[in-house]
């Protein structure tokens, strides 16, 4: 395993981190997966309340009873669920109890979507205050944040100098849009953990298209996507969701080869994915607050296919969704969009949703 310094915390974390959002129903097996990861050198374990139907922290608790090596724990609190200092205190104590640990090494103010939400986190008597007190009492090592904000907002939060690290979505598909946030963290010497390196499954689901990421015959597309993240300057940990021992073993293999991406490959990726093509929807669901009740992620995922293949493929997908009643007869259609802009403001990929819906309503 390769270990990297996390900001100025003095902690060295494994470049491959374990994301605890993909456990299956068998909790004992889930604990074995965690232990196997630790035995292969992974020392950064990320969980959150509500992951895996709220079982993730319990599964880590089982695993932590018998870990083969040293490890660090990351968990979270979201201002939407815990908006006061007292509620965050309760959350911290609950997470400690569920995982059977004395201290949370990295505690995230979870999923800050914009500066209004950040203000709520930092409000007097609010979440940050509760977490800071817990830190002063030794229940937390480091206060950090996770975000889907645009780069300039991430920079503003970082420059307030209240956090020691950041967790952000970053992958080969969206990296151009996310680069400013990475750069701000780098300049301010924060630790950087990247989530969603496989684009919410988009990359492994479209192996043909993304095979251009591979630089060696014996490398899988997913390994190449993880390597792409790990090769970026400033990134400490690439967080990969893992639910099986096979996934763990495949992911740790990326450290068997240099964690670099050649200049030619970067150029090829830029010209094929981030310049000559539109950005892709990663099905994260954050935009799903349409006042017209349009199921935006479903439509944007279908639109992906016209980028990855052709319009015909999108048409097939929409027909299939209708047959399966995933789009029902009386659901809001693409032409119900009134261009209010709410979804585009929320979109983690900053996609031109309004334009795409309009195009879809004309074509399909
Ligand atoms: S812009 Fe259109 S799709 Fe987006 S939230 Fe508004 S009405 Fe819904
Ligand atoms: S349109 Fe944007 S916010 Fe919505 S699911 Fe896709 S990537 Fe996520």
């Amino acid at each position: 395993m390769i270990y990297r310094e996390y900001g100025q915390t003095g902690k060295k974390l494994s470049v491959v981190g374990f994301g605890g959002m993909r456990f299956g129903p068998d909790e004992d097996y889930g604990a074995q997966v965690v232990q196997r990861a630790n035995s292969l050198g992974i020392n950064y374990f990320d969980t959150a309340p509500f992951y895996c139907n709220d079982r993730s922290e319990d599964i880590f608790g089982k695993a932590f009873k018998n870990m083969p090596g040293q490890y660090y724990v990351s968990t979270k609190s979201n201002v939407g669920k815990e908006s006061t200092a007292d509620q965050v205190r309760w959350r911290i104590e609950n997470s400690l109890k569920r995982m059977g640990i004395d201290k949370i090494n990295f505690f995230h103010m979870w999923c800050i979507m914009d500066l209004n939400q950040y203000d709520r986190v930092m409000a007097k008597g609010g979440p940050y205050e509760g977490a800071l007190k817990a830190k002063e009492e030794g229940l937390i090592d480091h206060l950090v944040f996770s975000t889907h904000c645009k780069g300039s907002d991430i920079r503003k939060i970082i420059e307030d100098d209240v956090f020691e690290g950041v967790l952000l979505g970053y992958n080969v598909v969206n990296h151009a849009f996310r680069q400013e946030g990475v750069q701000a963290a780098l300049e301010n010497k924060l630790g950087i953990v990247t989530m969603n390196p496989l684009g919410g499954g988009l990359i492994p689901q479209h192996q043909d298209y993304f095979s251009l990421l591979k630089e060696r015959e014996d490398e899988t597309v997913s390994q190449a996507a993880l390597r792409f993240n790990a090769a970026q300057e400033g990134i400490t940990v690439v967080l990969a969701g893992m639910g099986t021992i096979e996934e763990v073993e495949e992911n740790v293999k990326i450290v068997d080869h240099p964690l670099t991406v050649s200049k030619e490959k970067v150029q090829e990726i830029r010209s094929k994915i981030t310049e000559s093509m539109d950005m892709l929807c990663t099905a994260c669901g954050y935009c799903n607050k349409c006042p017209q009740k349009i199921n935006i992620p479903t439509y944007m995922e279908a639109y992906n296919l016209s980028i990855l293949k052709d319009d015909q493929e999108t048409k097939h997908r929409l027909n299939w969704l209708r047959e399966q009643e995933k789009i029902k007869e009386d659901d809001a259609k693409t032409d119900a969009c009134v261009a209010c802009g709410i979804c585009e403001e929320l979109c983690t990929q900053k996609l031109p949703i309004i334009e795409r819906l309009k195009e879809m309503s004309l074509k399909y």
Side-chain angles (χ1 to χ4, degrees):
M1 183 51 65
I2 290 169
Y3 298 90
R4 292 176 173 171
E5 297 271 352
Y6 182 91
Q8 297 180 292
T9 63
K11 290 190 168 60
K12 287 186 110 178
L13 308 184
S14 52
V15 68
V16 179
F18 189 109
M21 74 296 280
R22 291 192 50 192
F23 293 118
D26 184 341
E27 296 191 1
D28 290 334
Y29 177 71
Q32 285 169 28
V33 177
V34 173
Q35 288 162 349
R36 177 68 178 142
N38 190 227
S39 73
L40 290 172
I42 292 179
N43 72 356
Y44 184 82
F45 294 89
D46 179 86
T47 181
F50 314 113
Y51 278 178
C52 307
N53 296 323
D54 204 21
R55 294 175 307 115
S56 180
E57 287 189 334
D58 295 331
I59 293 170
F60 278 111
K62 283 188 183 202
F64 293 161
K65 286 187 181 140
N66 193 19
M67 288 288 264
Q70 173 269 355
Y71 60 94
Y72 296 115
V73 181
S74 150
T75 191
K76 313 182 181 85
S77 164
N78 182 282
V79 66
K81 300 271 183 199
E82 292 104 28
S83 59
T84 68
D86 287 347
Q87 286 168 338
V88 167
R89 176 61 178 226
W90 173 86
R91 172 61 67 197
I92 291 165
E93 288 176 0
N94 198 47
S95 292
L96 288 168
K97 198 163 131 204
R98 292 177 74 183
M99 292 191 276
I101 52 177
D102 299 328
K103 184 183 273 196
I104 294 161
N105 305 107
F106 298 92
F107 190 69
H108 288 81
M109 297 286 102
W110 187 8
C111 200
I112 297 178
M113 297 295 290
D114 53 39
L115 292 180
N116 287 337
Q117 207 171 17
Y118 172 59
D119 288 344
R120 285 169 58 211
V121 167
M122 301 307 292
K124 192 165 170 30
Y128 185 85
E129 199 176 293
L132 188 61
K133 186 159 182 291
K135 182 179 180 224
E136 285 161 2
E137 291 173 25
L139 302 179
I140 290 171
D141 274 338
H142 307 291
L143 270 174
V144 295
F145 72 110
S146 77
T147 183
H148 292 287
C149 287
K150 59 186 180 205
S152 55
D153 289 352
I154 295 176
R155 180 176 288 280
K156 156 85 181 68
I157 295 171
I158 286 174
E159 289 179 352
D160 280 357
D161 198 20
V162 291
F163 294 113
E164 294 180 80
V166 60
L167 167 62
L168 39 79
Y170 187 96
N171 55 54
V172 70
V173 176
N174 69 10
H175 70 281
F177 166 65
R178 294 299 158 89
Q179 204 57 43
E180 188 182 348
V182 169
Q183 192 55 34
L186 187 58
E187 286 165 20
N188 289 276
K189 300 188 171 54
L190 266 70
I192 306 172
V193 178
T194 60
M195 58 183 157
N196 204 11
L198 302 181
L202 183 73
I203 294 169
Q205 279 159 22
H206 297 281
Q207 303 250 347
D208 283 355
Y209 180 76
F210 288 103
S211 62
L212 73 99
L213 302 180
K214 291 173 56 169
E215 290 198 273
R216 292 191 327 274
E217 266 311 304
D218 63 343
E219 182 178 53
T220 67
V221 170
S222 296
Q223 285 170 336
L226 297 181
R227 177 174 51 77
F228 177 85
N229 271 27
Q232 307 307 313
E233 188 186 5
I235 289 178
T236 321
V237 175
V238 181
L239 204 56
M242 304 187 219
T244 67
I245 287 175
E246 290 73 25
E247 283 169 350
V248 169
E249 291 173 348
E250 180 182 336
N251 291 340
V252 297
K253 277 196 192 130
I254 68 161
V255 301
D256 292 348
H257 298 276
L259 293 175
T260 54
V261 181
S262 67
K263 276 192 188 143
E264 298 74 33
K265 186 54 76 178
V266 169
Q267 200 43 51
E268 191 187 349
I269 289 168
R270 283 208 183 122
S271 66
K272 290 205 176 140
I273 298 182
T274 54
E275 280 173 10
S276 68
M277 292 189 53
D278 289 324
M279 297 291 279
L280 296 160
C281 168
T282 58
C284 65
Y286 284 107
C287 59
N288 217 0
K289 296 205 170 137
C290 173
Q292 297 293 98
K293 306 267 184 282
I294 300 171
N295 188 338
I296 303 165
T298 299
Y299 284 113
M300 290 303 104
E301 258 197 291
Y303 189 96
N304 276 348
L305 297 172
S306 64
I307 298 172
L308 293 162
K309 288 192 179 159
D310 53 33
D311 287 355
Q312 215 38 36
E313 208 57 41
T314 298
K315 199 171 176 179
H316 286 149
R317 176 76 178 173
L318 288 170
N319 287 341
W320 180 84
L321 287 165
R322 288 178 191 120
E323 276 161 30
Q324 299 294 315
E325 298 203 341
K326 292 180 192 297
I327 297 176
K328 296 197 181 75
E329 191 52 42
D330 41 6
D331 284 351
K333 307 285 184 302
T334 48
D335 61 3
C337 175
V338 293
C340 70
I342 291 173
C343 56
E344 292 194 357
E345 197 51 43
L346 292 170
C347 178
T348 56
Q349 299 282 93
K350 299 297 163 211
L351 301 182
I353 297 172
I354 298 170
E355 193 184 304
R356 288 187 182 183
L357 287 174
K358 194 168 174 195
E359 185 186 332
M360 291 178 89
S361 70
L362 294 173
K363 277 188 182 165
Y364 311 111

